[in-house]
mmCIF file of all heavy atoms in Angstrom:
data_model
loop_
_atom_site.group_PDB
_atom_site.id
_atom_site.type_symbol
_atom_site.label_atom_id
_atom_site.label_comp_id
_atom_site.label_asym_id
_atom_site.label_seq_id
_atom_site.Cartn_x
_atom_site.Cartn_y
_atom_site.Cartn_z
ATOM 1 N N ALA A 243 12.609 10.022 11.188
ATOM 2 C CA ALA A 243 13.086 11.273 10.583
ATOM 3 C C ALA A 243 14.411 11.040 9.867
ATOM 4 O O ALA A 243 14.625 11.546 8.762
ATOM 5 C CB ALA A 243 13.231 12.345 11.660
ATOM 6 N N ALA A 244 15.300 10.239 10.460
ATOM 7 C CA ALA A 244 16.592 9.961 9.821
ATOM 8 C C ALA A 244 16.378 9.267 8.475
ATOM 9 O O ALA A 244 16.993 9.639 7.465
ATOM 10 C CB ALA A 244 17.450 9.096 10.741
ATOM 11 N N LEU A 246 13.630 9.263 6.607
ATOM 12 C CA LEU A 246 12.920 10.134 5.667
ATOM 13 C C LEU A 246 13.836 11.205 5.086
ATOM 14 O O LEU A 246 13.730 11.563 3.919
ATOM 15 C CB LEU A 246 11.710 10.783 6.353
ATOM 16 C CG LEU A 246 10.559 9.825 6.718
ATOM 17 C CD1 LEU A 246 9.474 10.571 7.496
ATOM 18 C CD2 LEU A 246 9.969 9.164 5.473
ATOM 19 N N VAL A 247 14.748 11.723 5.915
ATOM 20 C CA VAL A 247 15.672 12.750 5.406
ATOM 21 C C VAL A 247 16.605 12.150 4.355
ATOM 22 O O VAL A 247 16.903 12.779 3.337
ATOM 23 C CB VAL A 247 16.437 13.431 6.558
ATOM 24 C CG1 VAL A 247 17.599 14.273 6.029
ATOM 25 C CG2 VAL A 247 15.480 14.306 7.372
ATOM 26 N N THR A 248 17.040 10.885 4.563
ATOM 27 C CA THR A 248 17.824 10.213 3.524
ATOM 28 C C THR A 248 17.018 10.165 2.225
ATOM 29 O O THR A 248 17.514 10.477 1.143
ATOM 30 C CB THR A 248 18.190 8.782 3.975
ATOM 31 O OG1 THR A 248 18.970 8.876 5.158
ATOM 32 C CG2 THR A 248 18.974 8.041 2.907
ATOM 33 N N LEU A 250 14.408 12.014 1.272
ATOM 34 C CA LEU A 250 14.104 13.289 0.611
ATOM 35 C C LEU A 250 15.353 13.972 0.068
ATOM 36 O O LEU A 250 15.287 14.747 -0.890
ATOM 37 C CB LEU A 250 13.269 14.207 1.519
ATOM 38 C CG LEU A 250 13.849 14.847 2.767
ATOM 39 C CD1 LEU A 250 14.480 16.188 2.433
ATOM 40 C CD2 LEU A 250 12.716 15.066 3.769
ATOM 41 N N THR A 251 16.504 13.641 0.640
ATOM 42 C CA THR A 251 17.753 14.153 0.085
ATOM 43 C C THR A 251 17.955 13.587 -1.328
ATOM 44 O O THR A 251 18.419 14.267 -2.240
ATOM 45 C CB THR A 251 18.943 13.760 0.985
ATOM 46 O OG1 THR A 251 18.705 14.274 2.299
ATOM 47 C CG2 THR A 251 20.257 14.306 0.461
ATOM 48 N N LEU A 252 17.582 12.325 -1.479
ATOM 49 C CA LEU A 252 17.753 11.647 -2.760
ATOM 50 C C LEU A 252 16.670 12.004 -3.769
ATOM 51 O O LEU A 252 16.940 12.142 -4.951
ATOM 52 C CB LEU A 252 17.721 10.134 -2.477
ATOM 53 C CG LEU A 252 18.380 9.186 -3.451
ATOM 54 C CD1 LEU A 252 19.846 9.536 -3.622
ATOM 55 C CD2 LEU A 252 18.227 7.758 -2.927
ATOM 56 N N ASP A 254 13.873 14.497 -3.376
ATOM 57 C CA ASP A 254 13.293 15.837 -3.388
ATOM 58 C C ASP A 254 11.797 15.828 -3.696
ATOM 59 O O ASP A 254 11.350 16.472 -4.646
ATOM 60 C CB ASP A 254 14.063 16.711 -4.407
ATOM 61 C CG ASP A 254 13.589 18.159 -4.385
ATOM 62 O OD1 ASP A 254 13.042 18.589 -3.348
ATOM 63 O OD2 ASP A 254 13.750 18.844 -5.406
ATOM 64 N N ARG A 276 7.394 16.214 11.961
ATOM 65 C CA ARG A 276 7.738 17.388 11.135
ATOM 66 C C ARG A 276 8.900 18.151 11.776
ATOM 67 O O ARG A 276 9.827 18.584 11.087
ATOM 68 C CB ARG A 276 6.524 18.318 10.993
ATOM 69 C CG ARG A 276 5.430 17.742 10.106
ATOM 70 C CD ARG A 276 4.328 18.769 9.828
ATOM 71 N NE ARG A 276 3.203 18.167 9.150
ATOM 72 C CZ ARG A 276 2.038 17.846 9.742
ATOM 73 N NH1 ARG A 276 1.843 18.121 11.025
ATOM 74 N NH2 ARG A 276 1.072 17.274 9.046
ATOM 75 N N ALA A 277 8.854 18.276 13.103
ATOM 76 C CA ALA A 277 9.922 19.013 13.809
ATOM 77 C C ALA A 277 11.260 18.287 13.655
ATOM 78 O O ALA A 277 12.297 18.917 13.408
ATOM 79 C CB ALA A 277 9.552 19.161 15.278
ATOM 80 N N ALA A 278 11.234 16.947 13.776
ATOM 81 C CA ALA A 278 12.485 16.179 13.698
ATOM 82 C C ALA A 278 13.074 16.221 12.294
ATOM 83 O O ALA A 278 14.297 16.264 12.124
ATOM 84 C CB ALA A 278 12.235 14.732 14.135
ATOM 85 N N VAL A 279 12.213 16.202 11.280
ATOM 86 C CA VAL A 279 12.709 16.287 9.903
ATOM 87 C C VAL A 279 13.304 17.672 9.666
ATOM 88 O O VAL A 279 14.410 17.817 9.134
ATOM 89 C CB VAL A 279 11.589 15.974 8.881
ATOM 90 C CG1 VAL A 279 12.027 16.323 7.458
ATOM 91 C CG2 VAL A 279 11.177 14.498 8.967
ATOM 92 N N GLU A 280 12.571 18.685 10.109
ATOM 93 C CA GLU A 280 13.011 20.066 9.924
ATOM 94 C C GLU A 280 14.376 20.317 10.574
ATOM 95 O O GLU A 280 15.231 21.002 10.026
ATOM 96 C CB GLU A 280 11.969 21.005 10.538
ATOM 97 C CG GLU A 280 11.995 22.398 9.958
ATOM 98 C CD GLU A 280 10.719 23.172 10.303
ATOM 99 O OE1 GLU A 280 9.668 22.542 10.566
ATOM 100 O OE2 GLU A 280 10.789 24.401 10.314
ATOM 101 N N GLU A 281 14.556 19.716 11.744
ATOM 102 C CA GLU A 281 15.791 19.882 12.483
ATOM 103 C C GLU A 281 16.988 19.291 11.732
ATOM 104 O O GLU A 281 18.112 19.773 11.846
ATOM 105 C CB GLU A 281 15.630 19.122 13.805
ATOM 106 C CG GLU A 281 16.376 19.686 14.973
ATOM 107 C CD GLU A 281 15.917 18.976 16.236
ATOM 108 O OE1 GLU A 281 14.905 19.431 16.830
ATOM 109 O OE2 GLU A 281 16.537 17.962 16.597
ATOM 110 N N ARG A 282 16.724 18.228 10.965
ATOM 111 C CA ARG A 282 17.821 17.522 10.308
ATOM 112 C C ARG A 282 18.224 18.086 8.955
ATOM 113 O O ARG A 282 19.359 17.890 8.518
ATOM 114 C CB ARG A 282 17.445 16.042 10.102
ATOM 115 C CG ARG A 282 17.551 15.236 11.371
ATOM 116 C CD ARG A 282 16.897 13.871 11.186
ATOM 117 N NE ARG A 282 16.996 13.110 12.420
ATOM 118 C CZ ARG A 282 17.991 12.286 12.709
ATOM 119 N NH1 ARG A 282 18.963 12.093 11.845
ATOM 120 N NH2 ARG A 282 18.010 11.637 13.857
ATOM 121 N N VAL A 283 17.271 18.721 8.250
ATOM 122 C CA VAL A 283 17.626 19.173 6.907
ATOM 123 C C VAL A 283 18.501 20.420 6.974
ATOM 124 O O VAL A 283 18.432 21.202 7.921
ATOM 125 C CB VAL A 283 16.384 19.469 6.022
ATOM 126 C CG1 VAL A 283 15.560 18.219 5.793
ATOM 127 C CG2 VAL A 283 15.542 20.574 6.614
ATOM 128 N N THR A 284 19.366 20.565 5.983
ATOM 129 C CA THR A 284 20.183 21.769 5.897
ATOM 130 C C THR A 284 19.830 22.492 4.593
ATOM 131 O O THR A 284 19.074 23.449 4.592
ATOM 132 C CB THR A 284 21.677 21.424 5.976
ATOM 133 O OG1 THR A 284 21.997 20.473 4.968
ATOM 134 C CG2 THR A 284 22.032 20.872 7.341
ATOM 135 N N PHE A 285 20.335 21.983 3.471
ATOM 136 C CA PHE A 285 20.042 22.628 2.178
ATOM 137 C C PHE A 285 18.755 22.098 1.542
ATOM 138 O O PHE A 285 18.187 22.740 0.669
ATOM 139 C CB PHE A 285 21.207 22.392 1.211
ATOM 140 C CG PHE A 285 21.357 20.943 0.846
ATOM 141 C CD1 PHE A 285 20.715 20.437 -0.289
ATOM 142 C CD2 PHE A 285 22.103 20.075 1.638
ATOM 143 C CE1 PHE A 285 20.836 19.097 -0.614
ATOM 144 C CE2 PHE A 285 22.223 18.735 1.316
ATOM 145 C CZ PHE A 285 21.588 18.244 0.192
ATOM 146 N N GLN A 286 18.291 20.913 1.999
ATOM 147 C CA GLN A 286 17.141 20.286 1.330
ATOM 148 C C GLN A 286 15.866 21.098 1.549
ATOM 149 O O GLN A 286 15.685 21.718 2.584
ATOM 150 C CB GLN A 286 16.906 18.856 1.871
ATOM 151 C CG GLN A 286 18.102 17.946 1.801
ATOM 152 C CD GLN A 286 18.920 17.958 3.082
ATOM 153 O OE1 GLN A 286 19.024 18.980 3.757
ATOM 154 N NE2 GLN A 286 19.495 16.823 3.416
ATOM 155 N N LYS A 287 14.989 21.047 0.543
ATOM 156 C CA LYS A 287 13.695 21.719 0.686
ATOM 157 C C LYS A 287 12.765 20.798 1.455
ATOM 158 O O LYS A 287 12.710 19.594 1.182
ATOM 159 C CB LYS A 287 13.102 22.001 -0.703
ATOM 160 C CG LYS A 287 13.916 22.994 -1.513
ATOM 161 C CD LYS A 287 13.731 24.406 -0.976
ATOM 162 C CE LYS A 287 14.563 25.391 -1.785
ATOM 163 N NZ LYS A 287 14.762 26.660 -1.068
ATOM 164 N N LEU A 288 12.020 21.365 2.383
ATOM 165 C CA LEU A 288 11.083 20.552 3.170
ATOM 166 C C LEU A 288 9.848 20.216 2.335
ATOM 167 O O LEU A 288 9.220 21.117 1.786
ATOM 168 C CB LEU A 288 10.627 21.330 4.401
ATOM 169 C CG LEU A 288 11.493 21.259 5.643
ATOM 170 C CD1 LEU A 288 10.875 22.137 6.730
ATOM 171 C CD2 LEU A 288 11.643 19.827 6.148
ATOM 172 N N PRO A 289 9.490 18.939 2.274
ATOM 173 C CA PRO A 289 8.234 18.605 1.602
ATOM 174 C C PRO A 289 7.068 18.810 2.573
ATOM 175 O O PRO A 289 7.276 18.950 3.779
ATOM 176 C CB PRO A 289 8.404 17.117 1.291
ATOM 177 C CG PRO A 289 9.332 16.613 2.354
ATOM 178 C CD PRO A 289 10.199 17.765 2.779
#
Side-chain angles (χ1 to χ4, degrees):
L246 291 175
V247 168
T248 299
L250 70 89
T251 302
L252 203 58
D254 185 24
R276 289 188 188 103
V279 169
E280 203 164 336
E281 211 170 273
R282 283 168 181 269
V283 297
T284 55
F285 66 92
Q286 305 93 326
K287 295 286 179 198
L288 274 178

